Amino acid sequence: MGQTVIVYSSQTGFTQGYALWIARVLHCEVLDVAFVTPDDLIHTRLVIYGAHATKRGGVAGFRPFYQQYQLALPHQLIVFGTGLLPPTQIDLQQLRQHTFRSCHTQPQLFYFDGEMNPDTMPLRIKLPYYSQKRKLKEKPPAGGVGAVRPLLDEVARLEASGAI
């Protein structure tokens, strides 16, 4: 197992896209949270967890993931949430509180926004998608490696400091 592993949960492929952009730059393994085992995490130095983020619920699935794999997780942990709302409409402090309630130390948190393709979404997600889209005050930027630059810069900082 490599030094860094990206674990993600994605219902529409949106978060998976971000996980793959990060993995391309870091040259690391990407795992769907449904297939993770403690052995996948035990020898890593950095785990990056990503999933859809909501104002009320935090980053989806992080708390159960953390509770289940807490003993296997390395000291360095980065979490990213994805969603339709631009970062200016997200209260990151509230997102942190909902996401990291059960954590001993709070990991770094990043939020990425962008546009989804409604044609590929399951029907159960389309209605909330259109509801949220109406609330947007500005068009979301295009995703890609540039969108994840702050997270990549944090990984570079951790590497330079010898933390990973």
Side-chain angles (χ1 to χ4, degrees):
M1 188 59 55
Q3 178 170 286
T4 300
V5 173
I6 299 172
V7 177
Y8 73 93
S9 173
S10 185
Q11 295 180 2
T12 64
F14 186 59
T15 303
Q16 180 185 30
Y18 278 109
L20 293 173
W21 291 327
I22 295 165
R24 272 190 212 119
V25 175
L26 299 180
H27 305 287
C28 63
E29 190 168 1
V30 180
L31 299 170
D32 186 307
V33 73
F35 302 107
V36 172
T37 67
D39 289 339
D40 295 326
L41 307 172
I42 198 90
H43 299 291
T44 61
R45 299 195 65 199
L46 170 66
V47 171
I48 300 172
Y49 178 91
H52 177 72
T54 63
K55 288 181 179 183
R56 292 184 195 100
V59 177
F62 178 75
R63 284 190 310 237
F65 169 78
Y66 183 81
Q67 290 171 351
Q68 182 174 357
Y69 297 108
Q70 185 174 0
L71 297 176
L73 289 171
H75 181 67
Q76 297 300 328
L77 183 61
I78 294 176
V79 177
F80 71 90
T82 61
L84 288 177
L85 296 175
T88 55
Q89 290 181 260
I90 295 292
D91 181 352
L92 282 178
Q93 188 57 32
Q94 184 181 30
L95 191 61
R96 275 185 190 88
Q97 288 173 350
H98 288 297
T99 304
F100 303 133
R101 249 184 266 177
S102 60
C103 294
H104 299 294
T105 59
Q106 287 198 4
Q108 284 279 33
L109 176 67
F110 295 89
Y111 175 81
F112 306 123
D113 64 332
E115 184 67 45
M116 291 193 296
N117 180 357
D119 297 335
T120 62
M121 284 187 240
L123 188 58
R124 64 181 164 54
I125 296 175
K126 282 187 183 184
L127 184 60
Y129 166 78
Y130 285 115
S131 172
Q132 284 288 21
K133 192 169 179 177
R134 283 184 295 155
K135 296 177 187 175
L136 292 178
K137 296 178 175 102
E138 56 195 65
K139 183 171 173 37
V145 174
V148 296
R149 180 59 47 205
L151 188 148
L152 297 172
D153 291 345
E154 177 61 17
V155 172
R157 187 191 69 74
L158 289 171
E159 286 176 340
S161 71
I164 58 171

